[in-house]
Amino acid sequence: MDTAAIFTHFDTLNTEENTVLLLSNHLYQTVSKVWSELPGVKLVYEPLSVQNKDFLDLLSTLDITIKCSNQDLLNNLTRKQGVVIGTSNLTTSFIKSAFAKGFNNFLTQQSRDVLKITNVLGNEFSLTQEFSKEKTTEEILENVQQSSSQSRQICVGTLQSLQELRSLKDRIMDLKWKLPSDVRLSVELGQEFFQSTFLIATKIIGKEILDGQTSYTVDMSMFEEFACYLDTENNFSVYSRSDSTSYCSLYGNTGDEEDLILEGEMGEVDTGDWILLGNAGLADCRGLDMILLDKDYRVVRPRSPSQAFSNSLDLEFSLLTVSA
């Protein structure tokens, strides 16, 4: 990966933060592939990030319906976003809070949840009925025919990967064509779709040489932020501006010996220099500042995140897409 443009950008970056998030176009490409496989099927995703409003806006720009199951995420959503309320932590106060913000579509497969919602809202809500992926088309169609007028949307489980999506594609599309025309079909995307889709840029805040080996410190911790970023390979890739490498250690900011982020070959850097970490994993981008990259890893300015995306999701679109 050519990271020269990124490091050039950091030469003039005016930020008090020691860690920022870099958005690439990997997720954009992934979502495009999903839509090409499942045309006309709506996409639902429950983000791990509940604080980063820019990332939530990006999901909406990609026309992904946000599944919200907690108050913290609810507090950062707006009526402009497509939202369905999850029922894994359903309480009376949460139902009222969601309704007060203008969200009255609930995703559930439990009749007791429907009763709880009815007791709070009466008939002033709609349902997205959730079905297991193991349900047959015939079973789902029979259930839809028997459902109330409030339930004209259905969701067929959570797809964990493109491989699983492709294995179930024929069944999903067969169901779509057989559903009544007024029933909307959606699928939920699992976390694997959002893995390894971004870079973390973090500044070296400490350097020490002991017995000939260099150890560096960055202003994050494996016990806190970084633990959420590691992908399934549990191994960061590191990029620095220097071509001269040496065997070294990279530690988080706690000073704890177990707060080891990585150990191995890395470009030689000094205190105050930026490094990039790839294979950064799940999409919990929290409240980090975000910088946008185009498909060639060049910084895109001065666009806001929501302006950097194509609503049509044109596969040839050269500017950014989302990542977390």
Side-chain angles (χ1 to χ4, degrees), residues 90-296:
L90 199 62
T91 64
T92 297
S93 61
F94 184 55
I95 295 171
K96 290 181 177 179
S97 295
F99 186 76
K101 294 204 69 169
F103 306 133
N104 65 346
N105 187 356
F106 293 82
L107 176 66
T108 182
Q109 55 180 325
Q110 303 291 337
S111 57
R112 65 174 180 270
D113 291 333
V114 178
L115 180 60
K116 186 182 294 186
I117 299 166
T118 302
N119 289 338
V120 177
L121 300 181
N123 292 323
E124 296 185 59
F125 68 94
S126 59
L127 289 176
T128 296
Q129 200 169 0
E130 188 173 16
F131 292 96
S132 165
K133 290 176 290 189
E134 284 70 37
K135 286 278 188 182
T136 66
T137 298
E138 289 70 25
E139 290 174 319
I140 295 175
L141 289 172
E142 181 179 354
N143 196 295
V144 168
Q145 291 173 355
Q146 297 173 356
S147 63
S148 67
S149 59
Q150 289 173 303
S151 179
R152 309 313 291 168
Q153 303 175 65
I154 66 172
C155 182
V156 286
T158 303
L159 302 177
Q160 297 297 342
S161 65
L162 276 172
Q163 182 179 3
E164 183 182 25
L165 181 154
R166 286 165 177 155
S167 71
L168 296 173
K169 172 184 175 179
D170 291 343
R171 285 178 51 194
I172 294 173
M173 295 309 297
D174 180 58
L175 173 62
K176 182 182 185 302
W177 303 131
K178 291 180 178 178
L179 282 170
S181 59
D182 63 335
V183 176
R184 188 174 69 178
L185 175 64
S186 62
V187 296
E188 185 172 349
L189 301 181
Q191 294 301 332
E192 187 171 324
F193 285 94
F194 295 80
Q195 288 178 346
S196 298
T197 57
F198 62 99
L199 296 168
I200 297 170
T202 188
K203 188 179 290 186
I204 300 293
I205 62 171
K207 178 179 180 179
E208 182 180 13
I209 301 176
L210 184 63
D211 296 330
Q213 182 171 324
T214 305
S215 64
Y216 299 102
T217 305
V218 294
D219 198 16
M220 291 185 84
S221 168
M222 278 300 295
F223 300 134
E224 297 176 7
E225 299 94 343
F226 274 140
C228 295
Y229 291 116
L230 275 174
D231 70 3
T232 52
E233 296 178 359
N234 293 315
N235 187 23
F236 288 116
S237 55
V238 185
Y239 307 92
S240 71
R241 174 170 265 164
S242 173
D243 293 327
S244 177
T245 65
S246 63
Y247 192 89
C248 61
S249 303
L250 187 67
Y251 286 91
N253 57 11
T254 62
D256 194 309
E257 288 186 1
E258 294 184 0
D259 196 4
L260 178 65
I261 297 170
L262 61 89
E263 191 169 36
E265 290 290 328
M266 189 178 108
E268 296 178 2
V269 290
D270 289 311
T271 301
D273 289 346
W274 290 89
I275 61 171
L276 302 176
L277 300 177
N279 291 341
L282 301 179
D284 185 354
C285 54
R286 303 192 180 186
L288 293 178
D289 288 344
M290 293 197 295
I291 296 174
L292 305 177
L293 306 177
D294 68 11
K295 64 182 180 65
D296 296 317

Side-chain angles (χ1 to χ4, degrees), residues 57-74:
D57 286 342
L58 290 177
L59 293 178
S60 297
T61 303
L62 291 172
D63 200 23
I64 295 176
T65 298
I66 298 171
K67 178 181 175 181
C68 174
S69 302
N70 64 79
Q71 188 67 48
D72 288 338
L73 176 56
L74 181 65

Side-chain angles (χ1 to χ4, degrees), residues 12-31:
T12 59
L13 182 64
N14 182 21
T15 178
E16 297 180 357
E17 301 295 332
N18 287 328
T19 302
V20 297
L21 198 68
L22 297 163
L23 306 183
S24 70
N25 66 351
H26 180 79
L27 183 57
Y28 166 86
Q29 295 167 344
T30 300
V31 172

